[in-house]
Amino acid sequence: RPMAVAGWVKGKYLQQTENTERLAVATTNKFETVAAFGLSKLDALLDDGDETQPRLTVRKPAKSKPADMTEEMVRKGITSGQYKVNYHLWQNIINGITAGAYISLGGFLACIVGGGLTDINATNPGLGKLIMGLVFPFGLLMVVLTGGELITSSFSTVGAAFLAGIFKGKQRRALFNMCIIYWTNFLGCLLVAALAMGTGVFENEPYHSFFVKFNQKKVHQPWMQAFWKGVMANWLVSMATMFTFAATDVVGKAVALWPLITAFVAMGMDHCVANMFFLSMGIFLGADYGWAELFANNLIPVTLGNFFGSQMCSVVYTFRYGQSSFQKPVDEKKADFQSADDRAANAVEEGEGDSVSLLSKS
């Protein structure tokens, strides 16, 4: 009798071992099938009715409507405006000074190149302006890649965030931010202008004559003409800034902004931050205007024009995609050295990843 019981137990053990091996082989085959055919075939495998196999439970990510690229750019622009306003004062000062300096470096190079094109400027001035426009955008690229803040881009991004209802109760803070950026941009331009004078490059011909005439023409143009040139310039600059939100790498951002910035320079439009450098250099080189004329005849109308030009971008696209779809206000305590544009991109692109949980059922 004990031998019979031992034989029965042994038989049951062997049968259970055989079933376990068969189950393991079947499970392996099923997972190989899932890997081969992908998640699209998963439902059919789950409902095969075979209760001897482990159950495979999948939590699929929620399906969302594919985002329109333009809407994503608008979202990132608005989030960028939020972060810019919530930076600490000392961060805004640094960002404003560096941005003004980088734009000035682009203007410095453009005038060196343009001043040396004496024959081309005499016979084909349009080509000379185009060549100047092709080298100027590297300054804005430096601003974009380092997280600097230009007043002209703040007009569009902070303005868009304001229109989206982000700054309820914080309008004064947004206005204060833009005032700080404007004057720190000017300070950065003066810094580069002083350094440029120290190099002595513009004291030589043909650069001196070219640069003085270039700036005197800007100051002595009619007031409304300067205004409309400001509108056109910052419409293009704001669109260029918006386009950079569609790119995630250096090459993409450069390709996105270069044509539009080249266009506004070649067209002879006026950008207030670039003019802060140009016109200051003109005074240092002995042009026939002073600081009062610099502001009254150029910077004031051009700045106003730049503001209205930026709204051709921010107003149109903010209302085009609706105020309710944008990001919630950011935590003011989280401002750091990361650029507002990069943080905006990260905030918009965050999402839940795919998750698959495997549960075995005995």
Side-chain angles (χ1 to χ4, degrees):
R1 193 173 185 79
M3 294 296 293
V5 172
W8 181 81
V9 171
K10 182 178 180 180
K12 284 292 185 181
Y13 173 76
L14 293 175
Q15 183 180 4
Q16 184 65 29
T17 301
E18 184 180 354
N19 289 340
T20 301
E21 292 176 352
R22 187 183 303 113
L23 181 62
V25 172
T27 302
T28 301
N29 292 337
K30 179 160 290 190
F31 285 151
E32 289 177 353
T33 304
V34 171
F37 291 97
L39 290 175
S40 62
K41 302 294 183 181
L42 196 55
D43 291 336
L45 293 173
L46 292 175
D47 299 330
D48 59 5
D50 187 357
E51 295 296 332
T52 65
Q53 304 299 324
R55 294 290 295 174
L56 187 65
T57 304
V58 177
R59 183 170 66 86
K60 298 180 179 179
K63 295 182 178 180
S64 59
K65 182 181 178 180
D68 181 85
M69 183 179 68
T70 307
E71 182 177 1
E72 287 300 299
M73 291 190 292
V74 175
R75 285 175 179 267
K76 292 176 184 178
I78 288 175
T79 309
S80 174
Q82 293 176 254
Y83 281 118
K84 287 178 178 181
V85 170
N86 287 312
Y87 276 142
H88 297 298
L89 175 61
W90 63 271
Q91 291 174 309
N92 281 325
I93 291 173
I94 292 174
N95 290 341
I97 292 174
T98 55
Y102 296 153
I103 289 296
S104 299
L105 290 173
F108 190 172
L109 176 62
C111 286
I112 290 295
V113 172
L117 300 175
T118 307
D119 294 336
I120 294 178
N121 290 333
T123 59
N124 192 346
L127 179 58
K129 291 181 179 180
L130 177 60
I131 296 173
M132 287 181 64
L134 287 171
V135 299
F136 179 84
F138 95 88
L140 182 60
L141 183 62
M142 292 174 69
V143 174
V144 170
L145 295 181
T146 59
E149 295 183 44
L150 287 173
I151 185 60
T152 47
S153 62
S154 291
F155 283 157
S156 57
T157 56
V158 176
F162 179 85
L163 292 171
I166 300 299
F167 298 130
K168 292 180 179 179
K170 297 182 180 180
Q171 292 88 343
R172 289 184 179 180
R173 181 168 182 171
L175 291 173
F176 177 73
N177 167 266
M178 288 193 284
C179 289
I180 291 296
I181 296 303
Y182 187 88
W183 291 109
T184 52
N185 284 167
F186 204 160
L187 185 58
C189 293
L190 289 174
L191 174 63
V192 175
L195 293 173
M197 287 298 296
T199 66
V201 172
F202 289 112
E203 295 177 1
N204 302 317
E205 295 295 345
Y207 306 110
H208 183 275
S209 298
F210 172 84
F211 203 62
V212 169
K213 291 178 182 178
F214 177 78
N215 289 303
Q216 289 178 170
K217 184 177 180 180
K218 285 181 176 291
V219 171
H220 297 312
Q221 64 184 331
W223 201 92
M224 286 305 299
Q225 183 175 309
F227 172 81
W228 291 118
K229 284 185 175 182
V231 172
M232 292 293 292
N234 210 37
W235 189 0
L236 290 169
V237 172
S238 296
M239 292 300 294
T241 303
M242 178 179 168
F243 288 176
T244 62
F245 293 125
T248 58
D249 57 11
V250 174
V251 174
K253 291 181 182 295
V255 171
L257 67 84
W258 217 277
L260 295 176
I261 305 304
T262 297
F264 106 75
V265 175
M267 292 161 62
M269 301 299 105
D270 279 347
H271 184 270
C272 66
V273 180
N275 284 1
M276 292 173 184
F277 168 73
F278 292 141
L279 302 182
S280 298
M281 280 292 297
I283 291 177
F284 296 158
L285 292 171
D288 64 353
Y289 59 86
W291 292 104
E293 290 176 293
L294 180 151
F295 280 96
N297 296 350
N298 188 274
L299 280 188
I300 290 176
V302 169
T303 300
L304 291 173
N306 287 167
F307 173 77
F308 283 102
S310 69
Q311 304 317 301
M312 300 294 287
C313 175
S314 58
V315 170
V316 169
Y317 290 103
T318 299
F319 285 100
R320 162 65 179 82
Y321 289 97
Q323 299 179 9
S324 62
S325 64
F326 299 121
Q327 302 295 312
K328 62 183 179 180
V330 298
D331 186 351
E332 297 179 11
K333 297 180 180 180
K334 293 183 178 180
D336 54 28
F337 289 107
Q338 188 180 14
S339 77
D341 294 346
D342 290 340
R343 296 174 67 187
N346 293 336
V348 173
E349 292 173 356
E350 281 181 350
E352 293 184 358
D354 298 351
S355 60
V356 178
S357 59
L358 301 178
L359 302 176
S360 65
K361 179 179 179 180
S362 61

